[in-house]
Amino acid sequence: MDFELSPRAEELRDRVRGFMGEHVFPVELEALRALDDEVRPGVPYPEVLIELRERARSEGLWNLFMPDERYGAGLSNAEYGVLCEEMGRSPAVAPMAFNCSAPDTGNMEILAEHGTDEQRRRWLEPLLEGEIRSCFSMTEPEVSGSDPTTLRTEAVPDDGEWVINGHKWFTSGAVGADVAIVMCVTEPEGHPYGRASMILVPVDNPGFDLVRPVPVMGHDGGPGHCEIRYEDCRVPESNLLGERGAGFVIAQDRLGPGRIHHCMRAIGTAERAIEMMCNRANERETFGGKLADKQFIQDFIAKSRMETDQARLLTLLAAWKMDTQGKRAARQEISMIKVVAANVVMDVLDRAIQVHGALGMSDDTPLAGMWRFSRMLKVADGPDEVHKMVIARRELNRAAKRAQGETPESAPEPAKAAG
Ligand SMILES: Cc1cc2nc3c(=O)[nH]c(=O)nc-3n(C[C@H](O)[C@H](O)[C@H](O)COP(=O)(O)OP(=O)(O)OC[C@H]3O[C@@H](n4cnc5c(N)ncnc54)[C@H](O)[C@@H]3O)c2cc1C
């Protein structure tokens, strides 16, 4: 393993760090409130974020996620990972400032890879320019999102158009989005992993009915996690993204890099929480001494540091393996980091909130918002239990092959994708 950063990645990391300190943190709480107050159909970003975005763009800190140099920074997963860690220190605001926020990033990647020239012109270019936002509509309330072979939303070809009928929810970002990438069953008789396709649906299309942003832990503002009904929603056949029946393959394309980005942001969130926990412990006096002098609190801090550093190393290993050996070779590590990082960030945030007492529960610090934001990581993009299932299956497979004197192979990748 070689984790040494290239001079370019190091320079970008320092600039992102500087930008965060100078421009993002001072307006972070204001931006969180503005997202709730100002985002609505046709208004993807609030004014305060528009200003941040213009500044980031003018400084060349834009589309850093894009591995394809034609469209963005052309960084490796390990290089972009360290930038994600910086952005994760303000997970709900900073990625938007740099045009690096989910679900747009994954959507741009698949549009770049699978889109036609016309689709790239109509959707990818304005997304890269930051003029519009997008969402990814896969999960359905009636069936298990962990097992997308059960998806029911259907798209039927009719007279040069797709007619979509179905019910989705947790389509993140739909409130301010212009376009949804919808996973639909187009080949009902096909192989379980060949039944679905991706179709681009403009949100102002008749039959696209945004029912509500689903309240998530008391919060339903901002870009939202939306319930959507597709009712005789007709779009041209040319809105098919990639091949018919390639929905799972395309969903998988979003997964590996997306999970590394999520995990490295989670590590950045944990770092910020440790910093805040230590600052509070050094300041707060109780029972005749500082919190920092109490062993319970020292245990919180020491555990948080050990777990966060372990999670970072495992995530960088996954990124390095993906960069040097490809997505397939890295899939066990990617499943592992998804579980490890999601749990570490929750444990660290919980301790940081505890050390802040009532203040930690309030929205006067970013901790409570980061807790709500980060909790989704244990569910979205494959719940912990599903990742653990496939991690164990691969190990069991390897052991069985070894016992038979064969070369060990891995079990199939779990099929799941989300914001
Ligand atoms: C904040 C947030 C944002 C999201 N954004 C998006 C988005 O933008 N687009 C989108 O399409 N989806 C999105 N999702 C949905 C997410 O992908 C799904 O919630 C996830 O795939 C799980 O599906 P489910 O909710 O149907 O849970 P289920 O599949 O019903 O699973 C429920 C629970 O069952 C258990 N379980 C499942 N399978 C197994 C197993 N094999 N072994 C043991 N236990 C198991 C797990 O504990 C799991 O948490 C988002 C979710 C959240 C919370």
Side-chain angles (χ1 to χ4, degrees):
M1 283 172 272
D2 179 4
F3 293 159
E4 194 174 349
L5 277 184
S6 64
R8 178 158 176 248
E10 202 172 329
E11 188 243 358
L12 280 170
R13 190 221 22 221
D14 292 348
R15 283 172 54 208
V16 168
R17 187 178 287 170
F19 191 95
M20 298 278 301
E22 204 173 332
H23 304 296
V24 176
F25 294 136
V27 298
E28 184 182 28
L29 294 178
E30 181 195 344
L32 287 169
R33 281 190 292 273
L35 278 163
D36 285 351
D37 294 344
E38 294 174 41
V39 172
R40 55 185 182 278
V43 181
Y45 297 104
E47 201 52 48
V48 59
L49 257 158
I50 292 172
E51 284 167 27
L52 275 182
R53 286 164 58 80
E54 278 168 5
R55 190 184 285 271
R57 187 170 191 173
S58 70
E59 295 188 16
L61 299 174
W62 194 252
N63 293 335
L64 300 164
F65 68 96
M66 254 299 187
D68 186 331
E69 266 170 311
R70 284 174 301 167
Y71 302 115
L75 298 173
S76 68
N77 287 297
E79 288 174 323
Y80 178 57
V82 297
L83 306 189
C84 283
E85 179 174 341
E86 297 302 320
M87 295 181 207
R89 294 170 74 88
S90 172
V93 173
M96 283 188 206
F98 303 108
N99 211 39
C100 287
S101 57
D104 294 315
T105 45
N107 291 343
M108 285 189 257
E109 280 172 21
I110 59 177
L111 275 164
E113 200 169 332
H114 302 278
T116 61
D117 287 347
E118 173 56 17
Q119 288 167 352
R120 287 202 289 259
R121 188 196 59 72
R122 185 160 174 209
W123 306 116
L124 178 60
E125 285 176 18
L127 280 166
L128 288 166
E129 291 297 313
E131 292 163 358
I132 63 166
R133 292 208 72 189
S134 61
C135 52
F136 186 70
S137 207
M138 176 168 168
T139 306
E140 302 178 0
E142 291 83 7
V143 293
S144 163
S146 307
D147 178 8
T149 60
T150 59
L151 287 182
R152 290 184 185 166
T153 296
E154 260 194 340
V156 177
D158 179 54
D159 199 16
E161 294 181 316
W162 290 106
V163 185
I164 305 173
N165 279 289
H167 187 196
K168 301 281 187 183
W169 80 336
F170 278 84
T171 298
S172 299
V175 171
D178 270 43
V179 64
I181 298 180
V182 190
M183 191 150 165
C184 313
V185 176
T186 54
E187 325 298 315
E189 306 308 325
H191 180 275
Y193 291 101
R195 293 168 71 235
S197 303
M198 298 290 186
I199 299 182
L200 288 148
V201 179
V203 301
D204 59 1
N205 210 77
F208 180 100
D209 179 14
L210 197 161
V211 179
R212 57 171 182 151
V214 179
V216 174
M217 296 180 161
H219 178 247
D220 62 2
H225 303 290
C226 299
E227 178 180 352
I228 297 166
R229 286 198 183 272
Y230 296 87
E231 288 170 328
D232 288 331
C233 182
R234 300 182 81 96
V235 296
E237 261 177 12
S238 56
N239 282 26
L240 179 74
L241 178 60
E243 301 289 316
R244 271 181 79 149
F248 279 90
V249 177
I250 297 175
Q252 293 292 334
D253 280 349
R254 291 178 97 247
L255 287 183
R259 284 183 180 147
I260 287 177
H261 306 168
H262 275 316
C263 293
M264 286 303 282
R265 281 192 292 262
I267 288 157
T269 304
E271 280 294 340
R272 177 123 181 255
I274 294 176
E275 202 173 285
M276 291 178 69
M277 178 160 48
C278 291
N279 290 341
R280 183 72 175 175
N282 279 330
E283 284 162 10
R284 192 71 160 177
E285 303 250 355
T286 182
F287 291 97
K290 295 213 182 287
L291 282 180
D293 297 331
K294 319 285 180 202
Q295 283 188 340
F296 279 123
I297 305 301
Q298 291 170 354
D299 181 61
F300 282 179
I301 293 167
K303 270 191 197 142
S304 300
R305 167 52 57 217
M306 292 186 289
E307 291 166 4
T308 303
D309 283 7
Q310 288 173 58
R312 179 189 293 101
L313 282 173
L314 191 57
T315 310
L316 287 175
L317 171 67
W320 172 82
K321 217 165 168 183
M322 195 190 277
D323 289 335
T324 53
Q325 296 166 37
K327 280 183 196 170
R328 191 180 161 81
R331 59 193 184 165
Q332 184 76 328
E333 284 76 12
I334 289 166
S335 295
M336 293 194 288
I337 57 162
K338 179 62 186 29
V339 180
V340 169
N343 283 277
V344 165
V345 69
M346 289 314 293
D347 289 345
V348 174
L349 279 169
D350 197 62
R351 295 180 197 123
I353 288 172
Q354 193 71 10
V355 170
H356 281 75
L359 176 63
M361 304 284 295
S362 78
D363 288 332
D364 285 359
T365 85
L367 288 171
M370 292 200 295
W371 191 94
R372 187 184 60 219
F373 185 92
S374 303
R375 181 60 182 83
M376 68 123 174
L377 267 187
K378 283 165 61 68
V379 172
D381 217 355
D384 284 4
E385 294 70 27
V386 176
H387 286 290
K388 286 185 197 165
M389 174 183 77
V390 296
I391 293 165
R393 273 192 193 160
R394 289 187 195 115
E395 291 305 315
L396 291 163
N397 244 358
R398 282 194 193 117
K401 298 259 168 162
R402 268 196 303 267
Q404 291 163 5
E406 293 175 31
T407 315
E409 272 182 24
S410 301
E413 185 68 353
K416 184 65 204 102

